[in-house]
Amino acid sequence: MNSRKVIAIDGYASSGKSTLAKMLSRHYHLLFIDSGALYRGVTLFALEKGFLKENELDQKAFSGALKGLSLRLEPDTGDLYLNGENVSQKIRFPRVSDHVSTIAALSVVREFLLLQQRQMAHENGLVMDGRDIGTVVFPNADHKFFFTARPEVRAQRRYEELKAQGQETTFKEVLNNLIHRDQTDSCREVAPLRKSDDAIEIDTSEVTTNQVFAHLIEKIEAK
Ligand code: CDP
């Protein structure tokens, strides 16, 4: 495969996008970008700097402060740096998951990250996963996939991941968060979550990671 290819993976929360995107990036020696980490980084910034308090956002102050925000994804490790601090663990905390979809719905945030995401593909190809990669960020991507899975399956996977990291949460809380985010992400005005007409839909409910991987490779090679 050409080393400048762009592979876009979109889909519902915790449907296996990042795991498979990472596997494809290794297989094809492409850069992997988890665009959700960028949205989580901006949300952490809004929370830590006090722009977002008790579900109230000071949008004017927040929009102004965004200009001075530096977000950097380390290509080899995938670690996210927010103004120089490694925040890779913090961005996965439930506090961030609870607010990220509200912040991601703001056009000022989407514009800020859109440019950065496109610049990442300038030199070389990449695999990027998110919600609007095949529809908005890279509408001309060489390969587009759209991941789905039953909410209970997705919640169980995410719950086990969070438990393994020692985070305090329950299955019900995780399920509610995924349902809430899917709803907010699908209904927002700017770049809503939806399947691009030319994306291949992949349901990961009943299949193993390796089975999905083999299926994706088959589709990519066949094109
Ligand atoms: O890993 P998970 O599927 O749970 O979510 P994520 O990829 O870390 O994304 C977190 C949130 O960021 C999503 O629920 C969206 O609100 C937002 N997001 C977005 O709006 N657009 C993207 N391209 C990626 C993420």
Side-chain angles (χ1 to χ4, degrees):
M1 199 179 72
N2 180 320
S3 63
R4 297 184 64 178
K5 291 265 185 211
V6 171
I7 303 177
I9 304 184
D10 291 305
Y12 293 98
S14 200
S15 53
K17 303 180 300 293
S18 293
T19 305
L20 269 300
K22 224 177 278 172
M23 289 169 82
L24 286 179
S25 77
R26 268 190 231 120
H27 184 80
Y28 288 117
H29 305 289
L30 293 169
L31 179 66
F32 159 60
I33 299 291
D34 168 7
S35 70
L38 302 173
Y39 287 92
R40 286 173 178 273
V42 172
T43 305
L44 180 68
F45 174 73
L47 286 165
E48 286 196 334
K49 296 288 178 197
F51 298 120
L52 181 58
K53 267 195 274 192
E54 287 148 25
N55 294 332
E56 285 288 323
L57 176 71
D58 180 346
Q59 199 170 334
K60 194 153 175 265
F62 172 61
S63 303
L66 263 186
K67 294 184 189 86
L69 169 64
S70 145
L71 277 179
R72 195 172 60 81
L73 265 176
E74 180 68 40
D76 296 332
T77 57
D79 284 344
L80 183 74
Y81 288 82
L82 176 66
N83 291 335
E85 181 196 347
N86 186 339
V87 293
S88 308
Q89 290 194 334
K90 275 191 197 170
I91 58 168
R92 306 286 158 198
F93 287 176
R95 194 163 78 106
V96 173
S97 301
D98 286 344
H99 294 98
V100 62
S101 287
T102 309
I103 295 293
L106 302 171
S107 51
V108 65
V109 170
R110 304 209 73 84
E111 276 160 29
F112 173 72
L113 292 179
L114 181 62
L115 206 67
Q116 304 197 16
Q117 290 171 88
R118 289 200 176 137
Q119 276 166 352
M120 291 171 184
H122 256 181
E123 299 285 315
N124 300 300
L126 49 68
V127 189
M128 189 180 286
D129 78 298
R131 303 294 186 286
D132 61 341
I133 311 306
T135 49
V136 175
V137 183
F138 299 117
N140 298 321
D142 301 277
H143 302 280
K144 297 183 187 178
F145 297 101
F146 189 85
F147 278 36
T148 67
R150 284 201 311 280
E152 289 73 18
V153 173
R154 295 189 276 124
Q156 186 62 34
R157 288 181 191 148
R158 181 56 52 93
Y159 174 59
E160 279 166 18
E161 252 172 47
L162 291 171
K163 244 187 5 189
Q165 291 166 10
Q167 295 202 31
E168 287 270 325
T169 189
T170 63
F171 171 80
K172 190 84 189 126
E173 271 172 4
V174 174
L175 178 64
N176 287 343
N177 173 260
L178 298 190
I179 292 171
H180 170 73
R181 279 198 288 133
D182 287 348
Q183 166 81 7
T184 313
D185 294 345
S186 306
C187 295
R188 70 183 171 219
E189 274 178 33
V190 195
L193 166 65
R194 69 168 183 83
K195 179 185 164 303
S196 175
D197 291 341
D198 53 352
I200 297 174
E201 185 162 332
I202 308 279
D203 186 334
T204 67
S205 304
E206 310 289 344
V207 277
T208 65
T209 302
N210 284 337
Q211 283 170 328
V212 179
F213 180 63
H215 186 56
L216 298 183
I217 297 285
E218 193 186 309
K219 292 289 178 195
I220 291 170
E221 301 295 331
K223 197 169 169 185

